[in-house]
Amino acid sequence: MISDYQQHLRERLLSVPETQPPSPWRPVLRRTPVGGLLGIGFAVAPGTGHDLVMVVSTDGHGLFDAVTGEKIARDRDPDPGASTPDAVPDLSCPGLGPVAATRVRIAGLFGGGLHATTLDGWSLDTVSPEWPDDRVLLSARGGAPWTGRHGEGWWHVFDSHYSELRAAGFSPSGRTLAVATSSDLTLWARPVHGEEPPGEAGA
């Protein structure tokens, strides 16, 4: 049995539509197919400082520029001993392309996690009002799904009803928001400079 409050909250979460994150967030990749996706992790591009997203799947490893959405490296046949992050205690895999000299921690099927907050007040929650389907909720400073109005302080930005959620969260810089399912990758980014404070834009 669930309480009246829990039932009210469940109905509230189920009633709101999926929507795009507010400004200054912009879409970079939207449900880009990645067959057999196992997990993702973040790295930083030497030189540009762009966030990079490393994808680990049953088809190999890939690396995306989180600012442009470009796939900048691909390894279809990684070393079997390092092809999945569960081979080492810190759940990391060898990088590739411009970050080949580093290891990247991967969050997904084998565990781990991404940042759930940013230093300037954005936060992310994953809820399951219709388990096993998951919904990803983005909140601005002071917003929360159980207090404010949808579209003002918080937004339902992703519904994984069609596939298993692998990971959702921010890059360490807070400039990229990623959602990975077992079948695809979605990315949003915001500007490096001139960012608008959360809750003041798109509210």
Side-chain angles (χ1 to χ4, degrees):
M1 295 292 293
I2 63 175
S3 68
D4 290 343
Y5 170 75
Q6 290 171 324
Q7 180 63 30
H8 172 74
L9 182 57
R10 178 178 181 273
E11 292 172 356
R12 174 184 174 86
L13 295 173
L14 288 172
S15 71
V16 297
E18 182 178 334
T19 185
Q20 287 293 311
S23 174
W25 296 100
R26 62 174 181 82
V28 177
L29 296 175
R30 184 64 175 166
R31 292 192 168 103
T32 296
V34 181
L37 192 152
L38 302 175
I40 63 171
F42 285 104
V44 178
T48 67
H50 286 188
D51 284 339
L52 303 177
V53 179
M54 180 171 169
V55 177
V56 174
S57 76
T58 55
D59 291 330
H61 297 171
L63 193 69
F64 291 86
D65 186 312
V67 175
T68 66
E70 178 187 5
K71 183 185 289 185
I72 58 177
R74 182 80 165 91
D75 185 354
R76 296 184 181 276
D77 190 25
D79 178 358
S83 62
T84 57
D86 57 324
V88 294
D90 66 352
L91 296 176
S92 68
C93 284
L96 67 161
V99 292
T102 65
R103 296 189 67 87
V104 179
R105 291 189 177 183
I106 303 298
L109 181 64
F110 298 103
L114 304 177
H115 287 251
T117 61
T118 69
L119 291 176
D120 58 345
W122 296 96
S123 61
L124 205 69
D125 291 284
T126 300
V127 297
S128 306
E130 282 191 314
W131 187 88
D133 299 338
D134 295 304
R135 294 183 170 204
V136 179
L137 311 179
L138 175 68
S139 300
R141 184 167 43 242
W146 39 90
T147 58
R149 294 180 60 184
H150 181 252
E152 295 185 0
W154 64 281
W155 299 262
H156 168 212
V157 298
F158 196 92
D159 192 335
S160 68
H161 60 88
Y162 61 92
S163 202
E164 293 181 12
L165 187 70
R166 291 287 189 245
F170 302 101
S171 62
S173 71
R175 298 195 301 260
T176 303
L177 170 57
V179 179
T181 75
S182 57
S183 62
D184 53 45
L185 174 66
T186 295
L187 299 176
W188 294 275
R190 58 178 175 153
V192 176
H193 302 292
E195 296 175 1
E196 301 173 36
E200 294 187 7

